Amino acid sequence: MDSKLKQAYLYDFYGELLNEHQRKVYEDFFFHDLSLGEIAEEEGISRQGVHDLVKRCTRTLEEYESKLHLVNKFLYIRERIDAILHLVQSVSPMDEGALSAGYNTANLQTMKTEIAKISHEILEEL
């Protein structure tokens, strides 16, 4: 996962735990693509102060994730749901017709078993 996306997820899950000043500087740097100098001028602090604050916020958000794992759980669940959707979409109208006629039930049973397995994995993560 690229750095910007990772920072976005961390902020989405834990950003409210930062104070207002930290959130503003973090958002300006990562989401509004302002430079350290631009943020420093706007906030009335040094470039080094902005740099240190961004690093500190990033470290804080990463520490929350290392303890709570909310982002990892979210990504895992999203991946498993994508797998379920893929299985569901792989059932063609021909398969559904075959099922009503009593044909190809082994293939559909295999998919049902896989969907049940993935669903149990998701429930275990919650």
Side-chain angles (χ1 to χ4, degrees), residues 81-103:
I81 289 172
D82 284 344
I84 289 172
L85 291 173
H86 177 74
L87 285 170
V88 169
Q89 291 169 350
S90 70
V91 176
S92 71
M94 179 77 143
D95 291 334
E96 292 171 4
L99 179 61
S100 64
Y103 301 106

Side-chain angles (χ1 to χ4, degrees), residues 55-104:
K55 273 188 97 94
R56 206 168 35 251
C57 290
T58 300
R59 191 174 337 114
T60 299
L61 296 176
E62 288 171 349
E63 286 172 3
Y64 287 136
E65 176 60 13
S66 73
K67 291 175 183 165
L68 300 172
H69 308 287
L70 297 178
V71 174
N72 283 337
K73 286 179 183 177
F74 168 77
L75 294 173
Y76 172 80
I77 289 169
R78 192 173 78 178
E79 177 185 298
R80 302 315 296 160
I81 289 172
D82 284 344
I84 289 172
L85 291 173
H86 177 74
L87 285 170
V88 169
Q89 291 169 350
S90 70
V91 176
S92 71
M94 179 77 143
D95 291 334
E96 292 171 4
L99 179 61
S100 64
Y103 301 106
N104 203 8

Side-chain angles (χ1 to χ4, degrees), residues 19-34:
N19 68 42
E20 188 177 331
H21 177 68
Q22 290 171 322
R23 282 194 307 270
K24 170 123 178 50
V25 170
Y26 192 87
E27 287 174 6
D28 284 347
F29 184 75
F30 281 106
F31 305 129
H32 302 141
D33 289 326
L34 296 180

